[in-house]
Amino acid sequence: MKVSDFLNRVSVLEKTGTALTGDTNIQDIRGDLLDTDESLLSVLDENGVKQGEVDTINIRYLVSKYSELPAIELLDHFREGLVIIDENGRICYINDAYKQILGVLARKVVGKFIFDIEGSALLYEVLKSGKPMIQEKHLVKSINKYVSLRMCPLYKGSKIIGAFSIFTDITEIDNLNNEVKRYSGIVDEYHREKEVESEALRAQIIGNSPNFLRILDQAVIVAKTDAAVLVSGANGSGKEVITKLIHMSSARRSKPFITVNCSAIPESLIESELFGYEEGAFTGSRKGGQMGKFELANKGTIFLDEIGDMPLQMQAKLLRVLERGEIEKIGRQKNVEVDVRVIAATNQPLPELIKQKKFREDLYYRLNVVNLTVPSLKDRGNDVILLANHFADYFCEKYSKKLSISDEAYRALARYSWPGNVRELQNSIEHAVILCSGPIIMREHLPGRIMEGEISEPDVSLSAPITQCEDVDYARSIAKAEKQLMLEALKRSSGSRTKAMELLGLSRRTFYRKLKENGLVP
């Protein structure tokens, strides 16, 4: 086959779109070259023909060197941009796509040195090194566009006679990828919020105040790691509940969850309680020895409550366990390896205890990788009402009663400062359920300290802000707040009443009664 015949075949293939892709296999057309000039075959072989595939552009450029026909004009039909430089680095050709993508005229570019046109001049580096180069994402600063580049040298015999660059405008693709990433972030955030709600419901955690939900969100995030967590907060605020949420949201959820109250164990026994002992380790030791809490919690989670009350001597041993991942069992010569996630809690200001030399600073920083501070009940706004309803349902079922809470009782609960936090509220509602003999819990059924109305300092926003000219009707405000909470729960549950009642912590009977009372159902 003559070169001119080969080029005519290329033209036919080009019209059908079968010979213009960069993935053209040289074996598909090599048979047509068997009768072609030996010089052409030699050049093609030296440029990678023997390795299987050659860029179509390279073939066409070389063919044009050995032909009278202007085969290189075919390159103007490419959607990819193309620029070719000679051995001196001067631009000798650009195709139409190059002009369109970069927005330049041929007369402004052709004949000029590549490094005068393109600041990075990567193609000139390819020309000098003789090594191909690929850049999947390259910014053309002058036009603020991203392109995908493939650059190769051009040979005549063994001599480099130039280089070419073929590129595709990927700006829109890059922008689309950024949008996908942004929406993926939104979706991830949504899924995490749903995960927080799901785990909170599973752990029977009640509350939707912003500061409390923020702690739940952080707890679910840290649960995905094995980092040590220090949970701070006042007594009765729910530190153990947050700790259980972390465990239930972690990969260790199917493994043991062991709680140790450091303030309830005598100093003389705390080491054996934590680390265990071997048989005969001391007088009165149990036959066969005893496993300690760390061994029992192996592969799971250990919760060290009231860590501030741990003796200094034990703090040093605990630090070694955290650092080495092994315990020193009493009466045993060889240490025992343990894999335990440690979560500690305290209601004491540990930095102050460090200053008083009552708590080790190194242990504090080892435990305090992530700190979660649980807000007090008085700072959780409407959660007082949600929790009161939840506990009322629980104790009504326990004591076989059917009760509702009066507006006066709601008002007293909302005004109280709750120094004992959630635990005190739980006990107060149980007290009221037990003493109430009628169908409605009144203010007088609550403990005396709550009836007297010790006012909480923080503002409990149970409804829309009250202007100075409004008459304050607390019962109406409570009812309005309750309706708003139910509407919000229905909204967050996409209208599902089952999910809404779970979110509010209400029984089905109470939920539907509240719907009717607030005019949300006929």
Side-chain angles (χ1 to χ4, degrees), residues 156-435:
K156 183 177 182 180
S158 59
K159 180 183 177 183
I160 295 178
I161 61 171
F164 73 87
S165 171
I166 181 170
F167 59 89
T168 306
D169 185 356
I170 60 169
T171 305
E172 291 187 8
I173 296 175
D174 187 66
N175 290 339
L176 181 60
N177 286 337
N178 290 336
E179 281 297 295
V180 170
K181 289 178 182 177
R182 188 173 72 85
Y183 282 112
S184 293
I186 294 173
V187 171
D188 288 344
E189 179 67 23
Y190 173 79
H191 285 162
R192 195 167 76 245
E193 288 179 2
K194 289 299 180 184
E195 185 180 12
V196 169
E197 291 180 9
S198 175
E199 294 295 347
L201 287 173
R202 195 148 61 95
Q204 294 188 325
I205 298 175
I206 308 300
N208 64 7
S209 61
N211 55 355
F212 186 64
L213 290 178
R214 184 169 58 253
I215 293 299
L216 297 185
D217 188 22
Q218 293 172 353
V220 171
I221 292 173
V222 74
K224 307 306 180 187
T225 73
D226 273 340
V229 181
L230 180 62
V231 184
S232 306
N235 280 334
S237 58
K239 297 187 293 296
E240 185 171 357
V241 171
I242 298 298
T243 303
K244 287 181 178 178
L245 174 63
I246 294 173
H247 176 71
M248 290 173 59
S249 305
S250 74
R252 298 173 181 262
R253 62 167 64 90
S254 61
K255 303 301 180 181
F257 176 82
I258 304 297
T259 299
V260 180
N261 189 333
C262 299
S263 64
I265 305 174
E267 185 172 347
S268 59
L269 298 178
I270 191 167
E271 182 175 2
S272 61
E273 282 291 318
L274 289 179
F275 306 139
Y277 58 83
E278 293 286 282
E279 182 178 347
F282 50 85
T283 303
S285 60
R286 181 183 300 175
K287 185 178 181 181
Q290 177 177 297
M291 293 180 68
K293 301 294 188 183
F294 271 87
E295 274 191 284
L296 292 172
N298 194 31
K299 304 297 182 181
T301 304
I302 190 167
F303 173 41
L304 302 176
D305 198 9
E306 305 299 348
I307 190 69
D309 292 325
M310 178 176 283
L312 277 171
Q313 183 181 359
M314 275 306 302
Q315 292 178 27
K317 294 185 178 182
L318 174 60
L319 181 61
R320 286 198 296 271
V321 172
L322 296 178
E323 290 177 342
R324 299 176 185 176
E326 56 185 28
I327 61 171
E328 187 176 335
K329 205 168 183 178
I330 300 174
R332 184 184 176 100
Q333 298 300 316
K334 186 179 180 181
N335 290 348
V336 179
E337 290 187 2
V338 289
D339 174 17
V340 177
R341 190 338 170 24
V342 177
I343 304 176
T346 182
N347 65 341
Q348 301 184 61
L350 294 187
E352 289 298 319
L353 295 182
I354 292 172
K355 291 179 182 178
Q356 299 169 18
K357 306 297 182 182
K358 294 181 179 179
F359 200 85
R360 293 181 63 101
E361 186 174 15
D362 47 5
L363 177 59
Y364 172 72
Y365 288 115
R366 187 64 183 78
L367 292 171
N368 195 30
V369 176
V370 176
N371 182 267
L372 300 177
T373 302
V374 184
S376 297
L377 182 56
K378 66 179 180 180
D379 298 323
R380 288 175 54 182
N382 294 331
D383 288 356
V384 173
I385 305 302
L386 295 178
L387 287 163
N389 287 331
H390 171 73
F391 292 137
D393 287 340
Y394 174 79
F395 290 116
C396 281
E397 183 176 349
K398 179 178 179 179
Y399 296 111
S400 302
K401 292 188 175 185
K402 294 183 179 181
L403 305 174
S404 60
I405 302 175
S406 69
D407 291 340
E408 287 185 349
Y410 275 135
R411 178 169 60 185
L413 294 171
R415 287 172 57 88
Y416 188 61
S417 60
W418 300 109
N421 289 290
V422 178
R423 188 178 297 128
E424 184 183 10
L425 174 60
Q426 179 178 351
N427 293 340
S428 299
I429 297 300
E430 183 175 15
H431 172 100
V433 170
I434 292 172
L435 293 184

Side-chain angles (χ1 to χ4, degrees), residues 4-209:
S4 58
D5 294 332
F6 172 68
L7 289 172
N8 287 335
R9 181 164 187 256
V10 168
S11 297
V12 173
L13 291 173
E14 187 273 337
K15 291 177 182 178
T16 64
T18 59
L20 288 180
T21 66
D23 296 328
T24 299
N25 193 316
I26 192 62
Q27 302 304 327
D28 295 339
I29 61 174
R30 183 174 173 79
D32 295 332
L33 295 172
L34 293 179
D35 299 326
T36 313
D37 297 347
E38 288 296 325
S39 57
L40 175 59
L41 288 176
S42 175
V43 173
L44 289 174
D45 282 341
E46 288 171 1
N47 283 273
V49 172
K50 291 179 180 178
Q51 284 152 40
E53 291 187 1
V54 171
D55 197 302
T56 310
I57 296 172
N58 209 346
I59 296 171
R60 292 168 187 273
Y61 182 76
L62 289 169
V63 169
S64 71
K65 286 286 187 178
Y66 289 85
S67 171
E68 303 82 12
L69 296 176
I72 203 165
E73 293 180 3
L74 295 173
L75 300 175
D76 282 334
H77 295 277
F78 276 50
R79 289 182 297 177
E80 294 87 357
L82 171 70
V83 56
I84 302 174
I85 61 174
D86 61 20
E87 61 268 27
N88 298 314
R90 286 184 183 274
I91 298 175
C92 58
Y93 175 79
I94 61 173
N95 70 348
D96 286 345
Y98 180 100
K99 305 170 194 174
Q100 294 170 6
I101 294 173
L102 299 185
V104 297
L105 298 174
R107 59 185 175 82
K108 296 283 188 179
V109 175
V110 176
K112 295 187 177 181
F113 288 105
I114 187 67
F115 41 76
D116 290 334
I117 302 300
E118 298 181 10
S120 60
L122 295 176
L123 187 54
Y124 191 73
E125 293 180 21
V126 172
L127 175 68
K128 291 304 179 184
S129 68
K131 296 180 180 179
M133 185 183 298
I134 296 176
Q135 279 208 344
E136 297 296 341
K137 184 177 178 181
H138 176 73
L139 175 63
V140 182
K141 294 182 180 179
S142 59
I143 57 172
N144 197 32
K145 282 188 176 182
Y146 285 100
V147 295
S148 175
L149 292 170
R150 285 185 295 156
M151 295 165 283
C152 294
L154 291 170
Y155 287 88
K156 183 177 182 180
S158 59
K159 180 183 177 183
I160 295 178
I161 61 171
F164 73 87
S165 171
I166 181 170
F167 59 89
T168 306
D169 185 356
I170 60 169
T171 305
E172 291 187 8
I173 296 175
D174 187 66
N175 290 339
L176 181 60
N177 286 337
N178 290 336
E179 281 297 295
V180 170
K181 289 178 182 177
R182 188 173 72 85
Y183 282 112
S184 293
I186 294 173
V187 171
D188 288 344
E189 179 67 23
Y190 173 79
H191 285 162
R192 195 167 76 245
E193 288 179 2
K194 289 299 180 184
E195 185 180 12
V196 169
E197 291 180 9
S198 175
E199 294 295 347
L201 287 173
R202 195 148 61 95
Q204 294 188 325
I205 298 175
I206 308 300
N208 64 7
S209 61

Side-chain angles (χ1 to χ4, degrees), residues 439-497:
I440 299 176
I441 295 175
M442 306 301 292
R443 188 168 66 92
E444 54 266 27
H445 296 130
L446 298 170
R449 61 187 182 282
I450 299 174
M451 277 200 302
E452 293 169 4
E454 183 180 337
I455 299 175
S456 173
E457 292 180 6
D459 177 31
V460 180
S461 301
L462 292 174
S463 63
I466 300 172
T467 62
Q468 291 182 348
C469 58
E470 283 185 300
D471 292 330
V472 179
D473 185 334
Y474 206 90
R476 190 173 66 231
S477 297
I478 291 291
K480 186 177 180 181
E482 185 177 72
K483 183 175 181 178
Q484 289 175 341
L485 286 173
M486 298 195 77
L487 288 171
E488 178 65 20
L490 288 166
K491 180 181 178 182
R492 290 176 62 181
S493 303
S494 302
S496 170
R497 294 181 180 180

